[in-house]
Amino acid sequence: MRTCTARLPIALLLAVLLLASAAPLFGQFTVGGQILQRSDFRNGYGKLIDTTQSPAVFIGHRARIHALYTHEKVRLHVSVQDVRTWGNTEQTKATDAFLSVHEAWAEILFNAHWNLKLGRQELTYDEARFLGNLDWALQARAHDFALLRYEKGATKVHVGGGYNVGAESLAQQAYAVQNQYKDAQFLRAEQRWGGFTISAMLWNNGLEQQTIDSTGAVVSYITRHSQTFGLPTLRYERGRFTVGGFFYAQAGKDRTNRDLEAYDAGASASYALPLDSARGSALRFTLGAELLSGTAQNATDNVNRSYNPFYGTNHAWNGYMDYFYVGGRWGSSVGLMDAHLRLRYDPGKRTFISLNVHDFQAAAEVLRNGEKMDRRLGTELDFTVGHLLNEVVSLQFGYSHMLPTETMERLQGVAAPASVQNWAYLAILYRPNMKNRFAGLKF
């Protein structure tokens, strides 16, 4: 069975190749790909490391090949990827479970403004705060989705949805796929007027809650829905200045049938200072803050006030060490207040140096033995260097350092944290013909 599963993505890609080669006069066929190789040193990444643990060191990679067939009435796209850590399979392996289909979609082009995209696809909007392709993570993210799009000039309207089951069956079955919605519906509109851009969004999220008996069998299941809506983009650009903000609210029911009353709001201001236009040298300053609501530890009602940025590329937002809202961490928590300063210096067109400083606080009350604790969680410093070696290869290096407080240690359940909490990585990205030559960054 594993052998058949591993061969399926290859067979699917070959089918697209044969289809395209059979009709060269009626469309255009292109093949591309990318490889990302990243070595990590983790000494407190994701969770504070304690004095009994040693740092983790490893190398991971993502190799992806994609094929696109374009016709005047349709586009077909298949992307296959191999995601693994160096050393997790033996040298003489016959097969493994690390090859998969990342995207497989068909797009019907009705006219110059309307199209319908069906199949497994990335959803990335509004700087990937709520919906993102998770490009930083090696496995990335894609949805099984139907997406109808209207785009004309400065106006965009997208509407879509997805409905998920675990497998074909003769009767309805419980849905057991982890980290996935049972059903979702999506509506987004965007409008630009000169330097001003605004977008509005609604996402209806259905999560299945199951009741399990003493034998472990599922005896009942129900889908409960929550709604995330708001203004994901409010941005004004004029010359060297950019000011922006966003607001999301969440309502409805969470998976456990609690009322959901949560929000996420942020604002920032940026100034770009050109230093040497001929060399591409420039300096950029960004000052901002974000508040994600949380549930106080002394709350007595049955209300979930913890905002969840369900399907975003959260690595880029609240510190690169991923303590918050990445991989399920910090869910149903006391929330987060993130005040940050981002500095970027470009000595030339091929190189950038950035430094981000985050000051974190809990958004709701934190208790210890019934007494309120200081809400401050700590300070994180993120240093990154990126360099375009040539038109294909990019180098990216990062070092991050966390200075946690006692409150952070308590919330993470680490009784004896190490004196140094840091993380470093070195990545090589091979991305020919791709606009985004780096990964996981926000400036």
Side-chain angles (χ1 to χ4, degrees):
M1 179 63 68
R2 292 181 61 198
T3 301
C4 294
T5 301
R7 289 175 179 171
L8 180 60
I10 299 176
L12 186 59
L13 182 59
L14 289 175
V16 175
L17 294 174
L18 291 173
L19 175 64
S21 62
L25 299 179
F26 300 97
Q28 182 178 2
F29 175 68
T30 56
V31 176
Q34 61 169 286
I35 294 180
L36 190 159
Q37 297 166 334
R38 186 168 66 229
S39 58
D40 274 64
F41 169 83
R42 295 184 175 183
N43 185 57
Y45 171 91
K47 182 178 181 180
L48 300 176
I49 197 168
D50 66 33
T51 54
T52 66
Q53 298 173 308
S54 299
V57 180
F58 59 90
I59 302 172
H61 95 170
R62 173 176 75 209
R64 185 182 295 171
I65 184 171
H66 54 82
L68 175 65
Y69 175 69
T70 303
H71 186 274
E72 62 179 3
K73 297 298 183 182
V74 70
R75 295 200 307 159
L76 307 176
H77 175 85
V78 175
S79 173
V80 176
Q81 65 182 18
D82 178 84
V83 177
R84 66 182 64 238
T85 302
W86 286 17
N88 60 8
T89 53
E90 59 183 86
Q91 298 175 14
T92 56
K93 67 178 179 63
T95 184
D96 58 41
F98 304 113
L99 191 68
S100 65
V101 174
H102 176 57
E103 290 188 283
W105 50 259
E107 185 177 25
I108 304 172
L109 308 173
F110 298 112
N111 54 44
H113 308 301
W114 287 93
N115 61 73
L116 176 63
K117 192 175 182 181
L118 302 169
R120 189 160 187 83
Q121 57 188 281
E122 295 183 346
L123 297 177
T124 299
Y125 295 92
D126 304 298
E127 296 188 276
R129 188 61 185 117
F130 183 81
L131 288 173
N133 63 357
L134 201 60
D135 185 47
W136 170 257
L138 296 177
Q139 75 278 3
R141 174 188 284 121
H143 301 248
D144 297 314
F145 218 71
L147 186 64
L148 178 65
R149 300 187 293 189
Y150 169 79
E151 298 185 2
K152 184 177 181 180
T155 303
K156 298 180 181 180
V157 179
H158 293 189
V159 59
Y163 179 78
N164 298 317
V165 297
E168 293 184 13
S169 61
L170 299 179
Q172 185 178 4
Q173 302 292 325
Y175 186 56
V177 177
Q178 297 295 314
N179 304 316
Q180 178 67 293
Y181 49 80
K182 175 64 178 178
D183 66 80
Q185 297 79 42
F186 171 61
L187 172 63
R188 181 184 182 274
E190 177 184 311
Q191 183 66 47
R192 288 184 288 109
W193 297 277
F196 183 69
T197 303
I198 183 173
S199 70
M201 186 205 76
L202 169 64
W203 179 277
N204 187 44
N205 199 66
L207 299 177
E208 186 172 284
Q209 172 69 11
Q210 302 167 2
T211 302
I212 301 175
D213 65 16
S214 58
T215 67
V218 177
V219 295
S220 66
Y221 41 87
I222 185 173
T223 301
R224 297 192 173 98
H225 289 85
S226 65
Q227 297 77 44
T228 301
F229 55 92
L231 302 174
T233 296
L234 291 167
R235 183 174 64 249
Y236 178 71
E237 300 174 81
R238 183 173 182 178
R240 301 173 184 174
F241 291 94
T242 301
V243 293
F246 58 85
F247 176 78
Y248 297 89
Q250 287 181 335
K253 296 286 187 177
D254 68 8
R255 191 193 296 268
T256 61
N257 203 32
R258 289 186 298 171
D259 291 331
L260 183 59
E261 299 176 5
Y263 63 88
D264 177 16
S268 64
S270 298
Y271 178 75
L273 177 64
L275 302 177
D276 188 329
S277 300
R279 292 174 49 217
S281 179
L283 191 61
R284 184 180 181 89
F285 309 85
T286 301
L287 183 64
E290 182 180 11
L291 176 60
L292 300 97
S293 65
T295 305
Q297 292 189 331
N298 57 357
T300 58
D301 56 12
N302 193 37
V303 178
N304 182 354
R305 295 184 171 85
S306 300
Y307 180 84
N308 189 338
F310 283 106
Y311 312 113
T313 304
N314 301 319
H315 169 83
W317 285 82
N318 305 122
Y320 294 156
M321 290 183 75
D322 290 350
Y323 288 104
F324 309 104
Y325 306 104
V326 176
R329 292 185 283 271
W330 214 251
S332 300
S333 70
V334 292
L336 184 69
M337 174 66 183
D338 175 8
H340 52 266
L341 172 66
R342 306 179 192 271
L343 305 174
R344 169 172 171 162
Y345 169 59
D346 291 37
K349 296 179 180 179
R350 289 183 171 270
T351 305
F352 76 83
I353 303 170
S354 74
L355 175 65
N356 299 340
V357 182
H358 295 264
D359 185 77
F360 299 119
Q361 296 188 43
E365 296 291 353
V366 181
L367 301 181
R368 180 174 59 187
N369 300 325
E371 299 293 329
K372 294 181 181 179
M373 297 187 70
D374 185 353
R375 292 192 185 187
R376 189 165 177 276
L377 301 173
T379 300
E380 182 176 325
L381 307 175
D382 298 321
F383 175 76
T384 309
V385 178
H387 177 68
L388 300 176
L389 194 63
N390 51 45
E391 289 69 27
V392 174
V393 183
S394 309
L395 303 178
Q396 185 174 326
F397 166 79
Y399 174 82
S400 296
H401 198 102
M402 181 66 175
L403 301 170
T405 66
E406 186 178 355
T407 303
M408 181 72 165
E409 296 168 2
R410 176 171 177 78
L411 288 172
Q412 291 208 341
V414 181
S419 58
V420 175
Q421 304 286 335
N422 59 3
W423 166 61
Y425 71 91
L426 176 63
I428 305 177
L429 302 91
Y430 311 82
R431 288 184 158 180
N433 304 317
M434 290 187 64
K435 181 180 179 180
N436 189 1
R437 301 289 300 278
F438 302 101
L441 302 175
K442 182 172 175 58
F443 301 114

